[in-house]
Structures are given as C-alpha cells and as structure tokens.
C-alpha cells in the first residue's frame, strides 16, 4: 500500500507561533532551523526560524501530513514559493497583539495566495489583547471579499492547531473532490 503524503505550510508573522504549532502536532522529532534572533526591532524573542521547520502527523486513515514552517521575516520571502510547491494549503498565523495585525494579515495573505489557493488564518496571542477578538478580522475579510476560516488559537495547544489542519484538509477535499 502506498501512503499519500500531504503537505501543509505554516506562514505568518515572526513570533506568531509557527514553530510551536508544528511542535504541538508533530509525531516525529521536529527539524527546526531556529537561530539567534538578530532582528529585535521586529520581535524580542530569543530564537527565530531562518530556514524551514518540518514535522509530521499521521491521520486516522494512515495519511501522513508534512508540516512545513516558513521564516516570518519578509526578507526570507524568496523561500516561501519553494516551501509552498505541492502544498494542499497554508495556515497563516497572525500575532493579534501586534499594532498592525490587519496589515500583517494583508501582507501574508497576498504573499501566500500567489503560491497556494487554500488558506486559513489562525490568530494567536489573543490573550494579550482581548479587544474584539476575531470580529475585526472577519469584518476586514468581509470588506476585502475574502472567504477563509479564521480561528483564535494557542499554537502550543495541539487541539487548536489540529482543528485548523482538519479545516484546511476539509477545504482541500471539497475543492479538489
């Protein structure tokens, strides 16, 4: 029996939780390309992804899903198209506590839409700024005429991340069925 392997990409802002999301789901040791953060103007975290993070999860039906994390800084945008090649979709993670979260969402949506058509959005760090939670993102998407699911997630929580992955796979199955 040949296992079909799916590929899902995690993109979005630096510090939004891409590496943590992959770590929370992966059933294999995560290949992480984190290095010391030299861009403290963008985020104060100690480490940041500078290449590709990789993990895997096996679904109940035996299908293996590869989880690929991208670097968040736009100076690494040249690698996003390579990582997205062959992906069934992308999860864009946006840090809700950032002042320009909607601008971040627009930037990452525009960037990833060029490479993959199936996109869902995870809003992280909602505990740091509980104002309006998802309403501002849904209102913004309505104004832009975008149609994609939006989830409030804690990237460290397996169930939160798994829900996004399941939604992405379901959208892919509907679109390509």
């Amino acid at each position: 029996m040949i296992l079909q392997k799916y590929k899902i990409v995690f993109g979005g802002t630096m510090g939004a939780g891409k590496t943590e999301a992959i770590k929370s789901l992966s059933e294999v040791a995560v290949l992480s390309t984190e290095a010391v953060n030299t861009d403290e103007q963008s985020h104060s975290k100690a480490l940041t992804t500078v290449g590709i993070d990789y993990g895997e999860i096996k679904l109940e039906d035996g299908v293996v899903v590869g989880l690929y994390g991208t670097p968040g800084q736009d100076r690494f945008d040249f690698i996003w198209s390579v990582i997205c090649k062959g992906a069934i979709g992308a999860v864009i993670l946006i840090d809700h506590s950032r002042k320009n979260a909607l601008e971040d969402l627009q930037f990452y949506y525009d960037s990833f839409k060029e490479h993959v058509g199936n996109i869902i959005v995870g809003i992280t760090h909602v505990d740091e700024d509980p104002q309006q939670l998802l309403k501002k993102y849904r209102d913004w998407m309505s104004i832009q005429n975008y149609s994609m699911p939006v989830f409030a997630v804690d990237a460290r929580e397996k169930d939160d991340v798994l829900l996004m992955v399941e939604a992405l796979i379901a959208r892919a199955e509907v679109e390509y069925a």
Side-chain angles (χ1 to χ4, degrees), residues 33-86:
T33 58
E34 289 193 315
V36 173
N37 178 21
T38 59
D39 185 7
E40 291 187 5
Q41 287 181 323
S42 295
H43 203 286
S44 63
K45 68 183 209 163
L47 299 174
T48 188
T49 300
V50 295
I52 301 170
D53 290 337
Y54 178 79
E56 289 182 353
I57 186 172
K58 187 183 275 189
L59 304 179
E60 289 177 3
D61 59 2
V63 172
V64 175
V65 179
L67 310 169
Y68 293 78
T70 66
Q73 304 94 319
D74 59 1
R75 69 177 183 261
F76 293 115
D77 65 352
F78 65 91
I79 199 167
W80 297 345
S81 63
V82 175
I83 297 170
C84 287
K85 190 166 283 206

Side-chain angles (χ1 to χ4, degrees), residues 88-109:
I88 63 166
V91 174
I92 296 176
L93 295 178
I94 300 297
D95 181 345
H96 180 67
S97 68
R98 287 177 45 97
K99 273 186 182 176
N100 301 320
L102 288 174
E103 290 174 23
D104 291 340
L105 178 53
Q106 182 71 64
F107 173 77
Y108 287 96
Y109 176 78

